[in-house]
Protein backbone atom coordinates (compact mmCIF):
# COMPACT_ATOMS: atom_id res chain seq x y z
CA UNK A 1 0.00 0.00 0.00
CA UNK A 2 1.31 3.42 -0.96
CA UNK A 3 1.14 5.71 2.05
CA UNK A 4 1.75 9.37 2.82
CA UNK A 5 5.08 9.71 4.63
CA UNK A 6 5.50 13.48 4.96
CA UNK A 7 3.72 16.77 4.35
CA UNK A 8 5.84 19.92 4.12
CA UNK A 9 4.68 23.54 4.29
CA UNK A 10 7.23 25.96 2.79
CA UNK A 11 6.56 29.72 2.98
CA UNK A 12 7.70 31.95 0.12
CA UNK A 13 7.08 35.47 -1.19
CA UNK A 14 7.13 36.85 -4.74
CA UNK A 15 6.29 40.49 -5.47
CA UNK A 16 3.56 41.55 -7.86
CA UNK A 17 4.46 43.92 -10.67
CA UNK A 18 1.85 46.29 -9.28
CA UNK A 19 -0.55 46.15 -6.30
CA UNK A 20 -3.82 44.34 -7.01
CA UNK A 21 -6.68 46.39 -5.57
CA UNK A 22 -10.31 45.41 -4.98
CA UNK A 23 -13.09 46.13 -2.51
CA UNK A 24 -12.11 43.57 0.13
CA UNK A 25 -8.37 44.16 0.16
CA UNK A 26 -5.09 44.95 -1.55
CA UNK A 27 -2.28 42.53 -2.39
CA UNK A 28 1.35 43.51 -3.03
CA UNK A 29 3.05 40.10 -3.02
CA UNK A 30 2.25 36.41 -3.25
CA UNK A 31 3.04 35.38 0.32
CA UNK A 32 1.99 31.79 -0.21
CA UNK A 33 2.87 28.34 1.12
CA UNK A 34 4.15 25.57 -1.14
CA UNK A 35 2.88 22.20 0.08
CA UNK A 36 4.74 18.97 -0.72
CA UNK A 37 3.27 15.54 -0.04
CA UNK A 38 5.76 12.66 -0.21
CA UNK A 39 4.75 9.00 -0.45
CA UNK A 40 6.32 5.71 0.60
CA UNK A 41 7.23 5.20 -3.08
CA UNK A 42 9.25 8.42 -3.11
CA UNK A 43 6.70 10.30 -5.22
CA UNK A 44 6.22 14.01 -4.44
CA UNK A 45 2.98 15.91 -5.09
CA UNK A 46 2.70 19.69 -4.90
CA UNK A 47 0.03 22.28 -4.15
CA UNK A 48 -0.07 26.02 -3.43
CA UNK A 49 -1.79 27.47 -0.36
CA UNK A 50 -3.05 31.03 -0.90
CA UNK A 51 -3.73 33.00 2.32
CA UNK A 52 -6.47 35.62 2.02
CA UNK A 53 -6.97 36.96 5.56
CA UNK A 54 -9.51 39.58 4.45
CA UNK A 55 -11.74 36.88 2.94
CA UNK A 56 -11.17 33.59 4.78
CA UNK A 57 -9.09 34.61 7.79
CA UNK A 58 -6.02 32.55 6.88
CA UNK A 59 -2.47 33.89 7.09
CA UNK A 60 0.79 32.41 5.87
CA UNK A 61 1.89 31.61 9.42
CA UNK A 62 -1.51 30.14 10.25
CA UNK A 63 -1.45 27.85 7.21
CA UNK A 64 1.97 26.53 8.15
CA UNK A 65 0.92 25.96 11.75
CA UNK A 66 -2.29 24.07 10.97
CA UNK A 67 -0.54 21.88 8.38
CA UNK A 68 2.43 21.03 10.58
CA UNK A 69 0.58 20.63 13.88
CA UNK A 70 -2.81 19.21 12.86
CA UNK A 71 -3.18 18.03 9.27
CA UNK A 72 0.20 16.35 8.73
CA UNK A 73 -0.04 14.22 11.90
CA UNK A 74 -3.60 13.25 10.94
CA UNK A 75 -2.70 12.15 7.39
CA UNK A 76 0.80 10.70 7.60
CA UNK A 77 0.60 6.90 7.45
CA UNK A 78 -2.73 6.84 5.59
CA UNK A 79 -3.15 5.42 2.10
CA UNK A 80 -2.42 7.94 -0.65
CA UNK A 81 -5.71 6.98 -2.29
CA UNK A 82 -7.92 7.37 0.82
CA UNK A 83 -9.26 10.78 -0.23
CA UNK A 84 -12.52 10.46 1.71
CA UNK A 85 -10.55 9.64 4.85
CA UNK A 86 -8.24 12.61 4.25
CA UNK A 87 -11.22 14.94 3.84
CA UNK A 88 -12.95 13.59 6.93
CA UNK A 89 -9.86 14.03 9.10
CA UNK A 90 -9.21 17.57 7.88
CA UNK A 91 -12.87 18.53 8.30
CA UNK A 92 -12.54 17.95 12.03
CA UNK A 93 -10.78 21.33 12.05
CA UNK A 94 -13.06 24.27 11.24
CA UNK A 95 -12.11 26.65 8.43
CA UNK A 96 -8.60 26.71 6.95
CA UNK A 97 -9.81 26.19 3.34
CA UNK A 98 -6.52 27.10 1.63
CA UNK A 99 -4.49 24.78 3.84
CA UNK A 100 -6.89 21.88 3.26
CA UNK A 101 -7.10 22.52 -0.47
CA UNK A 102 -3.35 22.69 -1.03
CA UNK A 103 -2.94 19.31 0.66
CA UNK A 104 -5.78 17.83 -1.39
CA UNK A 105 -4.28 19.10 -4.67
CA UNK A 106 -0.82 17.82 -3.69
CA UNK A 107 -2.31 14.41 -2.93
CA UNK A 108 -4.05 14.33 -6.34
CA UNK A 109 -0.75 15.34 -7.97
CA UNK A 110 1.00 12.49 -6.16
CA UNK A 111 -1.76 10.08 -7.23
CA UNK A 112 -1.31 11.17 -10.85
CA UNK A 113 2.44 10.60 -10.69
CA UNK A 114 1.93 7.24 -8.99
CA UNK A 115 -0.48 6.12 -11.73
CA UNK A 116 1.49 7.91 -14.48
CA UNK A 117 -1.74 9.69 -15.49
CA UNK A 118 -2.66 13.34 -15.84
CA UNK A 119 -4.95 14.55 -13.04
CA UNK A 120 -7.32 16.21 -15.53
CA UNK A 121 -7.92 12.78 -17.07
CA UNK A 122 -8.49 11.29 -13.62
CA UNK A 123 -11.05 13.99 -12.84
CA UNK A 124 -13.00 13.74 -16.08
CA UNK A 125 -10.90 14.42 -19.16
CA UNK A 126 -13.45 16.60 -20.96
CA UNK A 127 -11.15 19.15 -22.67
CA UNK A 128 -7.47 20.02 -23.08
CA UNK A 129 -7.74 23.76 -22.36
CA UNK A 130 -9.98 26.58 -21.15
CA UNK A 131 -10.71 30.05 -22.43
CA UNK A 132 -9.19 32.68 -20.15
CA UNK A 133 -10.91 35.49 -18.25
CA UNK A 134 -8.62 38.28 -17.03
CA UNK A 135 -9.33 40.22 -13.83
CA UNK A 136 -9.07 44.02 -13.97
CA UNK A 137 -8.39 45.65 -10.56
CA UNK A 138 -9.20 49.20 -9.48
CA UNK A 139 -7.75 51.97 -11.64
CA UNK A 140 -8.78 54.86 -13.82
CA UNK A 141 -10.92 54.02 -16.90
CA UNK A 142 -8.13 54.77 -19.40
CA UNK A 143 -5.64 52.59 -17.54
CA UNK A 144 -8.07 49.67 -17.29
CA UNK A 145 -8.94 49.93 -20.97
CA UNK A 146 -5.22 49.96 -21.78
CA UNK A 147 -4.61 46.86 -19.68
CA UNK A 148 -7.50 45.04 -21.33
CA UNK A 149 -6.19 45.99 -24.76
CA UNK A 150 -2.76 44.68 -23.81
CA UNK A 151 -4.28 41.36 -22.76
CA UNK A 152 -6.15 41.21 -26.08
CA UNK A 153 -3.06 41.99 -28.12
CA UNK A 154 -0.57 39.77 -26.31
CA UNK A 155 -2.71 36.80 -25.29
CA UNK A 156 -5.94 36.96 -27.30
CA UNK A 157 -8.04 37.22 -24.13
CA UNK A 158 -11.62 38.33 -24.80
CA UNK A 159 -13.32 37.92 -21.40
CA UNK A 160 -12.76 40.40 -18.57
CA UNK A 161 -13.91 40.40 -14.96
CA UNK A 162 -14.02 43.97 -13.66
CA UNK A 163 -13.53 44.61 -9.97
CA UNK A 164 -16.16 47.04 -8.65
CA UNK A 165 -17.36 48.16 -5.23
CA UNK A 166 -15.87 51.64 -4.86
CA UNK A 167 -17.65 54.80 -3.73
CA UNK A 168 -19.29 56.55 -5.36
CA UNK A 169 -20.55 53.78 -7.63
CA UNK A 170 -19.99 56.00 -10.67
CA UNK A 171 -16.24 55.34 -10.38
CA UNK A 172 -16.79 51.74 -11.41
CA UNK A 173 -19.73 52.32 -13.72
CA UNK A 174 -17.53 54.69 -15.74
CA UNK A 175 -14.85 52.00 -16.05
CA UNK A 176 -17.26 49.34 -17.27
CA UNK A 177 -18.80 51.76 -19.75
CA UNK A 178 -15.37 52.76 -21.05
CA UNK A 179 -14.49 49.11 -21.62
CA UNK A 180 -17.71 48.39 -23.48
CA UNK A 181 -17.42 51.52 -25.60
CA UNK A 182 -13.81 50.73 -26.50
CA UNK A 183 -14.27 47.06 -27.37
CA UNK A 184 -17.92 46.88 -28.34
CA UNK A 185 -19.18 43.32 -28.73
CA UNK A 186 -15.65 41.93 -29.13
CA UNK A 187 -15.37 41.07 -25.44
CA UNK A 188 -17.39 39.47 -22.66
CA UNK A 189 -17.67 41.61 -19.52
CA UNK A 190 -18.81 40.87 -16.00
CA UNK A 191 -18.42 42.56 -12.62
CA UNK A 192 -17.32 41.46 -9.15
CA UNK A 193 -18.00 43.66 -6.14
CA UNK A 194 -16.26 41.61 -3.41
CA UNK A 195 -19.13 42.67 -1.13
CA UNK A 196 -18.17 46.35 -1.44
CA UNK A 197 -21.60 47.88 -2.05
CA UNK A 198 -24.89 47.77 -0.18
CA UNK A 199 -27.89 46.18 -1.85
CA UNK A 200 -29.28 49.61 -2.76
CA UNK A 201 -25.96 50.81 -4.18
CA UNK A 202 -25.61 47.59 -6.15
CA UNK A 203 -29.09 47.91 -7.62
CA UNK A 204 -28.44 51.53 -8.59
CA UNK A 205 -25.12 50.66 -10.22
CA UNK A 206 -26.68 47.74 -12.08
CA UNK A 207 -29.41 50.00 -13.47
CA UNK A 208 -26.72 52.40 -14.68
CA UNK A 209 -24.98 49.49 -16.46
CA UNK A 210 -28.17 47.97 -17.83
CA UNK A 211 -27.25 48.68 -21.45
CA UNK A 212 -23.71 47.24 -21.24
CA UNK A 213 -24.59 43.56 -21.79
CA UNK A 214 -22.89 42.17 -18.68
CA UNK A 215 -22.60 38.38 -18.51
CA UNK A 216 -22.57 38.01 -14.71
CA UNK A 217 -22.74 39.90 -11.44
CA UNK A 218 -20.65 38.53 -8.57
CA UNK A 219 -20.86 39.28 -4.85
CA UNK A 220 -21.90 42.92 -5.32
CA UNK A 221 -23.06 43.09 -1.71
CA UNK A 222 -22.58 40.87 1.36
CA UNK A 223 -24.60 37.66 1.55
CA UNK A 224 -24.95 38.40 5.28
CA UNK A 225 -27.38 41.15 4.26
CA UNK A 226 -29.87 38.35 3.85
CA UNK A 227 -33.02 40.20 2.77
CA UNK A 228 -31.10 42.86 0.87
CA UNK A 229 -29.20 40.21 -1.07
CA UNK A 230 -32.37 38.35 -2.03
CA UNK A 231 -33.99 41.60 -3.09
CA UNK A 232 -30.92 42.52 -5.16
CA UNK A 233 -30.74 39.18 -6.96
CA UNK A 234 -34.31 39.83 -8.09
CA UNK A 235 -33.20 43.10 -9.68
CA UNK A 236 -30.29 41.65 -11.64
CA UNK A 237 -31.14 40.22 -15.06
CA UNK A 238 -27.96 38.13 -15.33
CA UNK A 239 -26.71 35.13 -13.36
CA UNK A 240 -25.70 36.34 -9.88
CA UNK A 241 -22.56 34.48 -8.78
CA UNK A 242 -22.01 33.44 -5.18
CA UNK A 243 -18.26 33.27 -4.62
CA UNK A 244 -16.86 33.74 -1.12
CA UNK A 245 -20.37 33.32 0.31
CA UNK A 246 -20.67 29.77 -1.09
CA UNK A 247 -17.50 27.77 -0.46
CA UNK A 248 -18.99 24.42 0.61
CA UNK A 249 -21.86 22.26 -0.68
CA UNK A 250 -23.93 23.32 2.32
CA UNK A 251 -23.31 27.02 1.70
CA UNK A 252 -24.08 26.59 -2.00
CA UNK A 253 -27.37 24.90 -1.17
CA UNK A 254 -28.27 27.66 1.29
CA UNK A 255 -27.46 30.52 -1.09
CA UNK A 256 -29.13 29.03 -4.17
CA UNK A 257 -32.28 27.70 -2.53
CA UNK A 258 -32.56 30.85 -0.43
CA UNK A 259 -32.60 33.07 -3.52
CA UNK A 260 -29.31 34.80 -2.73
CA UNK A 261 -27.55 33.60 -5.88
CA UNK A 262 -28.27 32.00 -9.24
CA UNK A 263 -24.72 30.80 -10.13
CA UNK A 264 -21.55 29.80 -8.29
CA UNK A 265 -17.80 30.24 -8.55
CA UNK A 266 -15.52 27.28 -7.84
CA UNK A 267 -11.97 28.00 -6.74
CA UNK A 268 -9.63 25.06 -6.38
CA UNK A 269 -7.48 27.21 -4.09
CA UNK A 270 -10.20 26.93 -1.44
CA UNK A 271 -11.91 23.59 -2.25
CA UNK A 272 -9.10 21.56 -3.80
CA UNK A 273 -10.22 18.94 -6.30
CA UNK A 274 -12.20 16.62 -4.05
CA UNK A 275 -14.56 19.22 -2.59
CA UNK A 276 -14.69 21.13 -5.87
CA UNK A 277 -16.21 18.07 -7.53
CA UNK A 278 -18.87 17.93 -4.82
CA UNK A 279 -19.67 21.59 -5.42
CA UNK A 280 -19.77 21.06 -9.18
CA UNK A 281 -22.07 18.06 -9.04
CA UNK A 282 -24.41 19.94 -6.73
CA UNK A 283 -24.54 22.84 -9.19
CA UNK A 284 -25.25 20.42 -12.03
CA UNK A 285 -28.11 18.89 -10.06
CA UNK A 286 -29.61 22.28 -9.32
CA UNK A 287 -29.15 23.49 -12.91
CA UNK A 288 -27.05 26.60 -12.31
CA UNK A 289 -24.09 28.14 -14.12
CA UNK A 290 -20.53 27.65 -12.83
CA UNK A 291 -17.41 29.74 -13.40
CA UNK A 292 -13.88 28.82 -12.38
CA UNK A 293 -12.58 31.57 -10.11
CA UNK A 294 -9.10 32.66 -9.09
CA UNK A 295 -7.64 33.47 -5.68
CA UNK A 296 -4.88 35.61 -7.24
CA UNK A 297 -3.08 32.38 -7.95
CA UNK A 298 0.48 31.68 -8.99
CA UNK A 299 1.17 29.55 -12.05
CA UNK A 300 0.92 26.46 -9.85
CA UNK A 301 -2.49 27.60 -8.64
CA UNK A 302 -3.59 28.44 -12.18
CA UNK A 303 -2.58 25.03 -13.55
CA UNK A 304 -4.63 23.47 -10.76
CA UNK A 305 -7.62 25.58 -11.82
CA UNK A 306 -7.40 24.67 -15.50
CA UNK A 307 -6.71 21.03 -14.63
CA UNK A 308 -10.05 20.89 -12.83
CA UNK A 309 -11.99 23.24 -15.11
CA UNK A 310 -11.00 21.54 -18.35
CA UNK A 311 -11.86 18.14 -16.88
CA UNK A 312 -15.61 18.86 -16.73
CA UNK A 313 -18.18 19.98 -19.28
CA UNK A 314 -19.99 22.52 -17.10
CA UNK A 315 -16.83 24.29 -15.93
CA UNK A 316 -15.55 24.40 -19.52
CA UNK A 317 -18.60 26.34 -20.69
CA UNK A 318 -17.33 29.75 -19.58
CA UNK A 319 -13.90 31.36 -19.55
CA UNK A 320 -11.96 30.64 -16.36
CA UNK A 321 -10.05 33.20 -14.31
CA UNK A 322 -6.61 31.90 -15.18
CA UNK A 323 -4.34 34.87 -15.84
CA UNK A 324 -3.53 36.56 -12.54
CA UNK A 325 -0.05 35.05 -12.61
CA UNK A 326 0.73 37.54 -15.39
CA UNK A 327 0.84 40.23 -12.68
CA UNK A 328 3.66 38.45 -10.80
CA UNK A 329 7.31 39.43 -11.11
CA UNK A 330 8.42 35.77 -11.16
CA UNK A 331 7.17 32.26 -10.48
CA UNK A 332 8.34 28.85 -9.25
CA UNK A 333 7.65 26.55 -12.20
CA UNK A 334 10.48 25.14 -14.31
CA UNK A 335 8.41 25.72 -17.48
CA UNK A 336 6.22 28.86 -17.35
CA UNK A 337 2.58 28.66 -18.43
CA UNK A 338 1.70 30.15 -21.80
CA UNK A 339 -1.65 31.72 -22.71
CA UNK A 340 -2.15 31.71 -26.46
CA UNK A 341 -5.22 32.57 -28.53
CA UNK A 342 -7.10 33.40 -25.34
CA UNK A 343 -6.71 29.86 -23.97
CA UNK A 344 -4.62 28.13 -21.32
CA UNK A 345 -3.93 24.42 -21.93
CA UNK A 346 -3.54 21.76 -19.30
CA UNK A 347 -0.12 20.18 -18.99
CA UNK A 348 0.02 16.70 -20.49
CA UNK A 349 2.44 14.97 -18.14
CA UNK A 350 1.52 12.84 -15.11
CA UNK A 351 -0.04 14.56 -12.13
CA UNK A 352 -0.45 18.28 -12.72
CA UNK A 353 2.28 18.09 -15.36
CA UNK A 354 4.47 20.77 -13.74
CA UNK A 355 7.60 20.87 -11.59
CA UNK A 356 9.04 23.35 -9.12
CA UNK A 357 12.35 25.06 -9.90
CA UNK A 358 14.34 24.30 -6.75
CA UNK A 359 16.71 27.23 -7.26
CA UNK A 360 13.81 29.67 -7.44
CA UNK A 361 12.14 28.10 -4.43
CA UNK A 362 15.35 28.44 -2.43
CA UNK A 363 15.60 32.08 -3.54
CA UNK A 364 12.03 33.06 -2.61
CA UNK A 365 11.37 30.90 0.44
CA UNK A 366 11.23 32.92 3.66
CA UNK A 367 12.04 30.26 6.25
CA UNK A 368 15.78 30.09 5.55
Amino acid sequence: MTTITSIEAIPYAIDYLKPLKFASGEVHAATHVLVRVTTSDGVVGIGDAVPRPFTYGETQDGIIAVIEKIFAPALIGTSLFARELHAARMERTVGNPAAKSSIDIAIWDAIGHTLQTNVSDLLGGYADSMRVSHMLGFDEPAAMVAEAQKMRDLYGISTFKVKVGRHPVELDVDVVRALREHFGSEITLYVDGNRGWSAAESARAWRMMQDLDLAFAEELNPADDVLGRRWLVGQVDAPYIADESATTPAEITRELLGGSATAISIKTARTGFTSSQRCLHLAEGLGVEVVMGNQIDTQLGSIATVTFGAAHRLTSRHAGELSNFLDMSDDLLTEPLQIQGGELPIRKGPGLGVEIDTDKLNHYRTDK
Side-chain angles (χ1 to χ4, degrees):
M1 180 178 70
T2 302
T3 60
I4 295 172
T5 56
S6 72
I7 300 177
E8 300 171 85
I10 303 169
Y12 68 93
I14 301 176
D15 288 337
Y16 286 102
L17 297 172
K18 64 175 183 177
L20 302 179
K21 302 177 181 180
F22 35 93
S24 60
E26 186 173 314
V27 179
H28 294 260
T31 53
H32 295 186
V33 179
L34 178 70
V35 173
R36 293 196 295 212
V37 171
T38 303
T39 76
S40 54
D41 297 327
V43 168
V44 178
I46 54 175
D48 198 36
V50 185
R52 291 290 170 258
F54 42 77
T55 305
Y56 308 109
E58 289 177 288
T59 64
Q60 189 181 56
D61 289 342
I63 287 172
I64 294 168
V66 77
I67 289 176
E68 291 182 344
K69 296 180 179 180
I70 299 178
F71 295 150
L75 302 185
I76 288 173
T78 64
S79 167
L80 176 66
F81 298 93
R83 290 177 287 103
E84 284 292 309
L85 177 63
H86 304 153
R89 290 191 175 181
M90 288 193 288
E91 284 170 7
R92 296 172 184 167
T93 302
V94 176
N96 297 281
K100 294 173 181 176
S101 299
S102 59
I103 292 173
D104 181 72
I105 290 170
I107 287 173
W108 274 93
D109 185 38
I111 289 172
H113 282 285
T114 300
L115 300 178
Q116 284 297 293
T117 304
N118 187 269
V119 171
S120 199
D121 289 334
L122 292 175
L123 290 168
Y126 181 74
D128 293 331
S129 65
M130 286 188 70
R131 289 179 292 117
V132 175
S133 170
H134 183 69
M135 184 190 81
L136 298 170
F138 291 161
D139 212 327
E140 296 300 315
M144 293 178 72
V145 168
E147 181 179 350
Q149 186 64 59
K150 177 183 176 182
M151 293 298 116
R152 288 279 285 153
D153 294 342
L154 293 179
Y155 306 105
I157 295 172
S158 60
T159 300
F160 295 94
K161 170 174 166 173
V162 186
K163 290 294 187 178
V164 298
R166 291 180 291 181
H167 297 90
V169 300
E170 285 82 1
L171 288 172
D172 295 324
V173 171
D174 289 347
V175 166
V176 180
R177 186 166 297 280
L179 287 162
R180 179 58 76 202
E181 289 178 349
H182 179 81
F183 291 103
S185 60
E186 293 180 6
I187 66 171
T188 298
L189 278 176
Y190 60 110
V191 292
D192 176 12
N194 291 113
R195 314 175 310 282
W197 287 331
S198 68
E201 289 168 335
S202 301
R204 177 169 171 265
W206 188 261
R207 288 194 298 271
M208 296 170 70
M209 297 185 290
Q210 195 75 38
D211 61 327
L212 300 182
D213 189 27
L214 300 181
F216 302 106
E218 181 177 322
E219 297 284 5
L220 298 182
N221 74 311
D224 289 347
D225 301 337
V226 178
L227 295 180
R229 175 72 164 253
R230 293 177 185 174
W231 171 82
L232 173 63
V233 170
Q235 314 296 307
V236 174
D237 57 348
Y240 193 107
I241 298 171
D243 177 18
E244 54 264 40
S245 63
T247 64
T248 67
E251 290 176 348
I252 290 169
T253 302
R254 179 195 65 204
E255 295 304 297
L256 293 175
L257 297 188
S260 295
T262 52
I264 66 165
S265 173
I266 292 177
K267 294 180 178 177
T268 57
R270 71 174 177 225
T271 45
F273 293 153
T274 302
S275 186
S276 289
Q277 279 201 317
R278 292 173 180 157
C279 295
L280 172 61
H281 295 157
L282 177 59
E284 288 178 324
L286 292 173
V288 299
E289 299 283 358
V290 176
V291 297
M292 291 302 300
N294 191 295
Q295 206 150 294
I296 318 181
D297 290 313
T298 60
Q299 293 190 30
L300 177 55
S302 296
I303 202 65
T305 301
V306 74
T307 294
F308 182 90
H312 305 93
R313 181 172 60 177
L314 184 56
T315 47
S316 296
R317 183 178 297 171
H318 301 292
E321 296 164 16
L322 300 165
S323 62
N324 280 134
F325 68 84
L326 297 174
D327 292 317
M328 294 183 60
S329 61
D330 202 355
D331 210 278
L332 297 180
L333 297 190
T334 56
E335 296 182 31
L337 303 186
Q338 299 290 332
I339 297 172
Q340 294 182 329
E343 296 195 358
L344 181 66
I346 64 171
R347 286 289 173 84
K348 289 293 190 177
L352 296 174
V354 296
E355 295 181 358
I356 296 298
D357 184 316
T358 54
D359 289 337
K360 286 190 176 183
L361 177 60
N362 288 334
H363 176 72
Y364 291 113
R365 66 188 298 171
T366 56
D367 60 345
K368 289 186 176 181

